[in-house]
Amino acid sequence: MNRRATGRSATDGRHTGSSTDGTTRRRLLAGTGVVALGGLAGCLDDITEYESAPYGVDSETAAGADYDLETVDTVVIEETLGLGPIEETVVATNHVVEYEKTVDIGPLGEFRGGVFVTFSTPQISVLGQEFNPVADMDTEELIELVQDNYDDLENIEHDTDEEVEVLEEPVTRSRFEADATFDGTSVEVDLHVTEAVATEDDLVVTIGVYPTTLRGQEEDHTISMMGGVTPVADLDDAEENGGDGGDDGSDDGGGDEEDDGGLLG
């Protein structure tokens, strides 16, 4: 965890982000980092950097659910804030860790249609006060962030709420039904989102998506993945992506890179 005062000069006040590979699924929660920094205006004395730890899933759990580690991404958000004539900057580095699996839904055949994501953002404390709006969001509010930042996810409807454990803490897991687009075809999917879990330094949200027709087996796999989240997962084999994003922290970051055919690409 890197929390220190720096000597960086204040910037022009824009949100800047580095997004990993330009796909909307890997920036679907970049907006939470922007929200987390938005409450800091007028409260800063020092230029400070915050960085979350990446949270993966232990290898045994991931293998049991047939998920493969795909990417470990960073979303860097820089916010310049003013207090009278004084400008101060906060830089927050967030982590997105993504797992994928191949599923078979008959007429559409096999494709990378199962996705599990962890999003971690640093808790921010300035002048002895905590600014953690993500911690106070329920799953309905988190899903609004997903919908706002995801072009191909539509008709999201809340289905049910249950309790699960993430990082050994009980949290609400909400299941939503939605429509996603795969290769030009609309597919009904289940979307699972957990409330943020607070660790000593970070806030961690988990997201799972799979075709609704596979709920009988994939819901249990998603819950298992949530229970297997850990800050000490082996992430060495993941593809790591980086690049300069847009002003709002959720731009494509470079481009038209062809995806691997996954449901959420």
Side-chain angles (χ1 to χ4, degrees), residues 25 66-70 99-103 110-115 182 259-265:
R25 72 175 177 228
D66 205 23
Y67 273 92
D68 299 319
L69 177 62
E70 188 69 15
Y99 294 79
E100 294 183 355
K101 70 184 299 181
T102 299
V103 296
E110 294 186 348
F111 61 98
R112 302 286 277 183
V115 178
F182 169 71
D259 202 81
D260 56 11
L263 176 64
L264 304 180

Side-chain angles (χ1 to χ4, degrees), residues 219-241:
E219 183 168 49
D220 288 343
H221 288 162
T222 297
I223 295 171
S224 175
M225 293 286 283
M226 291 173 174
V229 171
T230 173
V232 295
D234 183 3
L235 305 177
D236 291 341
D237 292 335
E239 175 187 355
E240 294 193 23
N241 295 291

Side-chain angles (χ1 to χ4, degrees), residues 40 42-46 48 50 90 124-131:
L40 294 173
C43 298
L44 299 174
D45 275 344
D46 298 314
T48 309
Y50 295 84
V90 169
I124 297 174
S125 177
V126 178
L127 300 179
Q129 298 186 52
E130 299 292 329
F131 296 90

Side-chain angles (χ1 to χ4, degrees), residues 1-3 50-56 72 93-97 118-122 199 201-204 230-232 235:
M1 187 68 182
N2 180 18
R3 303 188 175 202
Y50 295 84
E51 181 173 358
S52 69
Y55 289 75
V72 178
T93 299
N94 310 285
H95 283 91
V96 181
V97 178
T118 68
F119 174 83
S120 61
T121 188
T199 68
D201 295 318
D202 303 319
L203 297 169
V204 183
T230 173
V232 295
L235 305 177

Side-chain angles (χ1 to χ4, degrees), residues 12 34 42 46 52 63 68 72 92 105 122 145 156 174 176 197-198 237:
D12 61 1
V34 176
D46 298 314
S52 69
D68 299 319
V72 178
I105 58 171
L145 292 174
I156 301 174
S174 293
F176 298 81
V197 176
D237 292 335

Side-chain angles (χ1 to χ4, degrees), residues 168-185:
E168 300 184 346
E169 293 291 334
V171 293
T172 297
R173 169 187 62 90
S174 293
R175 186 178 73 205
F176 298 81
E177 296 180 345
D179 294 327
T181 301
F182 169 71
D183 202 16
T185 301

